Amino acid sequence: MSNTWKRKIYLLTLISLLVGTSQNIFVGILDQVADYAGVTVPAAGQLVTLFALANAIGTPIIILATAKLDQRKQMILALSFTVLGCAITVVLPGFGFLMLSRIVLGIGMGVFIVTAFSLAAKLAPPGHQASALATVTMGFSASLVIGVPIGRLITETFDWKVIFWGIGLLCLLAIFAVAKMIPATKGEAPVPLGKQLALLKNPKITFALSVTFFLFIGYAVFYTYITPFLNAVSPMSERAVSLTLFIFGIATLIGSKLGGFMTDRLGIARTLFFGMSVNVIALILLSTIAGPYIVTFVLLMVWAMAAWTSGPTLQYNLVSLAPEASGIILSLNSSVLQLGMATGAGIGGLVTGGLSIQSISLIGAASVVIAISFFAISFGLFRSDAKVRSN
């Protein structure tokens, strides 16, 4: 019995790797996509914005519209979106169809994430739900470590569209695997939008979500254009770029683990302040002293770990603010995160189009400083409430 549920969780994890790669891969091949479409790199970067917006806005709409479907059918629908998005990418020419494909892929990934997490918790036996969720999460994280650098390596020999041929075909196979292995499971009753937005009346939650928003603006401003940044600041071979992106992905995993470790031992406030402060310093140094490859490489790894240190801590902070509505608050946080990614990618495109490519790290640093300010206000509100309750 245990092996049966574990196989199902591993299937969800492998599919998570595929759909995660459909989002992250564009960061590694942005310059090549721009050449193909005959647009500038900043214009191509707006494809990242479209993906994130579609994810943030389209996902709750589709989830509500399909609430009566069992979750196996919802997952098949999500994978069908991914297959369709890949088909549009590789078959239909022109920048307009690329925009359409990113919208379809963004919705597909968003619906899959929501459904996969909910299913993982139901498929795992009592006492194993947390580890099941962590395993599925590893699939998305692995898309940074494996998907992006391998995608860049593939483009050394083949056209970049080969990557989406692969994702599309594998997701097509995944549909049959899901139909055979995943049981029909009744979905949870959708939470009305009004009930979700009612949480925003709590100023502590609003400020905490603002931290997420501005932190991920700062992340996306720089990360979206990391490949052209590397090529401009520290020109290197394609293989060196792939290796750098691979180690970058490992650094994000280390940062995420470090964030959980530090939160358990130092608390939310110290962990977030430390992570965001190092984040700002690394971004400023990337804009000012980056150049020699070893310097750029070290700063990039420090930034990756610092940026991802804050991820689990932010989620834990939000859940601690509203433990009775953890599902709703994490859903809101996911939407705010994607909106931050969309805004950051858009701002990054404007900056790289009008200023130097090095400017993106300074803009990213400024956004993280704003996030620190909102965190200080949020933490101040939390301490004020604690004093009132103690009196």
Side-chain angles (χ1 to χ4, degrees), residues 67-138:
K68 293 183 179 180
L69 293 178
D70 67 71
Q71 290 187 302
R72 179 174 63 186
K73 291 181 179 178
Q74 279 188 325
M75 182 161 288
I76 290 174
L77 176 65
L79 290 172
S80 298
F81 269 100
T82 303
V83 172
L84 176 61
C86 289
I88 296 172
T89 301
V90 300
V91 174
L92 300 179
F95 190 67
F97 284 116
L98 275 179
M99 295 172 67
L100 176 62
S101 72
R102 298 308 287 171
I103 292 172
V104 175
L105 286 168
I107 294 173
M109 177 183 170
V111 174
F112 179 84
I113 289 174
V114 173
T115 310
F117 282 154
S118 178
L119 268 173
K122 293 176 181 177
L123 292 172
H128 295 274
Q129 286 94 342
S131 62
L133 290 171
T135 300
V136 175
T137 301
M138 282 180 61

Side-chain angles (χ1 to χ4, degrees), residues 346-362:
I347 293 173
L350 293 175
V351 172
T352 55
L355 301 171
S356 66
I357 189 72
Q358 290 92 332
S359 301
I360 57 174
S361 57
L362 286 178

Side-chain angles (χ1 to χ4, degrees), residues 58-254:
T59 298
I61 294 174
I62 298 297
I63 291 294
L64 285 173
T66 60
K68 293 183 179 180
L69 293 178
D70 67 71
Q71 290 187 302
R72 179 174 63 186
K73 291 181 179 178
Q74 279 188 325
M75 182 161 288
I76 290 174
L77 176 65
L79 290 172
S80 298
F81 269 100
T82 303
V83 172
L84 176 61
C86 289
I88 296 172
T89 301
V90 300
V91 174
L92 300 179
F95 190 67
F97 284 116
L98 275 179
M99 295 172 67
L100 176 62
S101 72
R102 298 308 287 171
I103 292 172
V104 175
L105 286 168
I107 294 173
M109 177 183 170
V111 174
F112 179 84
I113 289 174
V114 173
T115 310
F117 282 154
S118 178
L119 268 173
K122 293 176 181 177
L123 292 172
H128 295 274
Q129 286 94 342
S131 62
L133 290 171
T135 300
V136 175
T137 301
M138 282 180 61
F140 295 109
S141 301
S143 67
L144 278 171
V145 181
I146 300 172
V148 176
I150 287 181
R152 187 75 190 189
L153 279 174
I154 289 173
T155 60
E156 287 188 46
T157 307
F158 304 101
D159 183 80
W160 64 270
K161 287 189 176 184
V162 170
I163 300 165
F164 287 92
W165 276 112
I167 294 174
L169 289 173
L170 289 172
C171 283
L172 187 60
L173 293 175
I175 289 175
F176 294 102
V178 167
K180 183 177 181 179
M181 293 181 62
I182 302 298
T185 306
K186 185 177 180 181
E188 299 175 357
V191 179
L193 182 61
K195 186 176 180 180
Q196 295 186 43
L197 296 180
L199 287 172
L200 299 181
K201 294 179 181 179
N202 184 334
K204 291 185 292 183
I205 292 176
T206 302
F207 279 106
L209 289 172
S210 298
V211 175
T212 296
F213 181 67
F214 284 102
L215 183 62
F216 279 90
I217 287 178
Y219 181 79
V221 164
F222 183 74
Y223 178 65
T224 303
Y225 299 93
I226 190 172
T227 301
F229 178 89
L230 289 173
N231 287 330
V233 174
S234 298
M236 62 189 76
S237 67
E238 288 292 317
R239 193 167 296 274
V241 171
S242 299
L243 178 61
T244 302
L245 292 175
F246 174 73
I247 299 176
F248 176 90
I250 293 176
T252 64
L253 292 180
I254 294 172

